[in-house]
Amino acid sequence: MTLFDSAAFEGHEGVHAFFDPASGLKAIVAVHSTARGPAAGGCRMWPYASAEAALEDALRLSRAMSYKNAMADLELGGGKAVIIGDPRTAKTPALFEAFGAAVDSLGGRYWTAEDVGVSPADLAHARNRSTFVAGLDHHPAASGDPSPVTAEGVFRGVRLCVARALGKELSQVTVAIQGVGHVGAYLAEKLHAAGAKLIIADVDAAAVEAVAARTGAQVVPPDAICEAEADVFAPCALGGAISLKTLPRLKAKVIAGGANNQLSGPEAGRALFEAGLLYAPDYVINGGGIINVAGEIRAIARGEAFDPAWVAAKLDRLAMTLEEVLDRSLAERRPTHEIADEMARERLRSH
C-alpha cells in the first residue's frame, strides 16, 4: 500500500514514524481520533515483512480503537503504536525507552499500553521517558496486565451469543479458540470453569500444552482450528481470521473472540450474516482491556488510586452495548458489524 492512496488512512488525524538508530527502534504511531479525548491504544511489536505492512496494521488498529473506545463509552479517542521487530529477540530496555520518548513527543495526544508482543515490564522502561504510559504493574494508579479483563468481556460476550444463537448454556457447547496467548489462555480457563469443552490451537507449542494441561482442551494444528467441530469459533490471535476463504471451512454457528480486526473486510461480515452465523463485533466484545487501561489513565489524571469498581461498571455497560447490537441486527435484518460501525460513528460525531 501507499500512504495517501490507502482507504485505511481516511479519517486519521495523524500518523507518526519514529526511528532511533542507537536502540534500533522503528515505530509507527497512528492517531485516528481525539474527538472523545486523547487517543489511546496498545503498542504491538511484530516482525512485519515491510514498513508498508506495519503502516497498514497501525491504521486499521487505530481506527478500530476509536470505535472500541466509543462503544465502551470511554472519554478516549483511538490510536495505536506498532514496533517493527521480533519480540522474542529484539527487545531491549533502550528500545522501549526510545519508544517512551517517541510517545512523549506527542504531548499527550496518545496514550500507550500493551498489545501483542509487549508486556508491562517492557512498558516500565517506556514509562521512564513518558507519563503517557498505562497498563503498568508498579505505580499508585497501576492496573497491571489488562488481558484478564479483556478475557472477562469476551467470556461474557460468548455466553450471550451462545444463549441468543443456540439457546444453550456454556456447559452444553464446544468452543474452538484460535490463539492461546494472554487473552486466549484466560478465556480458555473461564470457559473451562463454566463447563465448556475446548479445542485450541496456537503456533506456540508450549502455550498450547500449558493451556491444555489446565483445561483438558483438545489440541489441533493451527491450520485446522477453523474447521474444528465446534459451536463457537473464538479468534484470539492476529487479525483477518474470518475471510471469504476461511468462512466455508467454519463449522461453528457463533464467531466471538478476543482478536482485533477479525474480519478480512466488510464483505466477510456480510457473508457471515447471509450464512446465518452470529458474529460478535470484535471491538465491542474485546473492549474490556481498554476499559481497564482507561481506569488507569483516569486515575493518573486525577492523582488517585486505580478504582476496580469503575472498571466493573463499564464492563457491565459493555455487555449491554453488545446486546443492543445483537437486538438491532435481528430487528433490522442487517449484519452486526454494520450496526456496530454505525453506532460507533454516531458516538464519535456526537462529541
Side-chain angles (χ1 to χ4, degrees):
M1 63 171 282
T2 58
L3 180 59
F4 297 110
D5 292 336
S6 171
F9 186 81
E10 184 179 358
H12 279 78
E13 295 180 7
V15 179
H16 310 267
F18 299 94
F19 176 47
D20 179 56
S23 66
L25 175 73
K26 297 177 182 178
I28 297 170
V29 176
V31 175
H32 179 261
S33 172
T34 57
R36 295 178 63 91
C43 173
R44 173 172 294 187
M45 186 171 185
W46 193 255
Y48 293 98
S50 66
E52 290 77 15
L55 172 62
E56 184 171 11
D57 207 25
L59 291 172
R60 285 174 54 108
L61 290 167
S62 59
R63 191 183 84 159
M65 287 307 305
S66 285
Y67 287 13
K68 181 185 295 191
N69 291 339
M71 293 298 271
D73 192 29
L74 302 175
E75 294 181 357
L76 294 172
K80 203 75 174 186
V82 298
I83 296 175
I84 301 173
D86 191 331
R88 296 169 298 180
T89 59
K91 287 183 179 181
T92 65
L95 183 142
F96 279 95
E97 288 203 0
F99 173 67
V103 170
D104 203 63
S105 73
L106 299 178
R109 293 186 66 238
Y110 168 69
W111 281 76
T112 196
E114 298 93 341
D115 196 60
V116 175
V118 176
S119 71
D122 299 324
L123 289 181
H125 298 295
R127 177 76 178 185
N128 291 336
R129 302 291 296 276
S130 178
T131 58
F132 306 113
V133 179
L136 301 175
D137 286 329
H138 304 292
H139 68 75
S143 62
D145 181 4
S147 299
V149 188
T150 303
E152 174 63 22
V154 175
F155 170 77
R156 296 183 188 189
V158 171
R159 183 174 58 194
L160 173 62
C161 290
V162 165
R164 293 285 293 265
L166 307 175
K168 295 181 178 180
E169 298 179 356
L170 290 176
S171 60
Q172 300 172 296
V173 301
T174 298
V175 181
I177 304 177
Q178 180 189 49
V180 288
H182 287 183
V183 173
Y186 285 119
L187 176 62
E189 292 174 0
K190 290 176 180 293
L191 290 169
H192 172 65
K197 295 180 180 178
L198 302 177
I199 303 172
I200 62 174
D202 198 297
V203 295
D204 185 337
V208 168
E209 291 176 7
V211 173
R214 295 196 298 270
T215 65
Q218 175 188 348
V219 177
V220 300
D223 60 0
I225 192 67
C226 286
E227 54 199 14
E229 294 289 345
D231 304 285
V232 179
F233 178 58
C236 292
L238 296 180
I242 308 300
S243 68
L244 297 182
K245 291 184 178 180
T246 59
L247 177 56
R249 299 171 56 197
L250 291 173
K251 305 294 196 303
K253 295 299 183 184
V254 171
I255 314 298
N260 291 312
N261 295 327
Q262 293 171 25
L263 301 179
S264 62
E267 69 283 351
R270 169 62 63 173
L272 281 175
F273 177 74
E274 292 175 349
L277 278 62
L278 179 60
Y279 169 62
D282 46 27
Y283 61 81
V284 180
I285 193 174
N286 69 11
I290 193 61
I291 289 174
N292 200 65
V293 168
E296 185 170 329
I297 293 173
R298 176 177 179 269
I300 292 171
R302 296 183 174 202
E304 300 173 352
F306 179 75
D307 183 3
W310 183 89
V311 172
K314 287 290 186 182
L315 204 59
D316 289 342
R317 177 59 188 155
L318 185 66
M320 295 171 62
T321 299
L322 176 59
E323 193 159 14
E324 182 180 351
V325 171
L326 301 183
D327 286 342
R328 283 188 54 182
S329 175
L330 182 63
E332 299 174 24
R333 298 181 181 179
R334 291 196 294 141
T336 54
H337 76 283
E338 293 182 6
I339 299 293
D341 283 357
E342 286 183 7
M343 290 174 63
R345 286 193 290 264
E346 175 58 33
R347 292 185 181 195
L348 289 171
R349 284 193 297 267
S350 67
H351 275 70

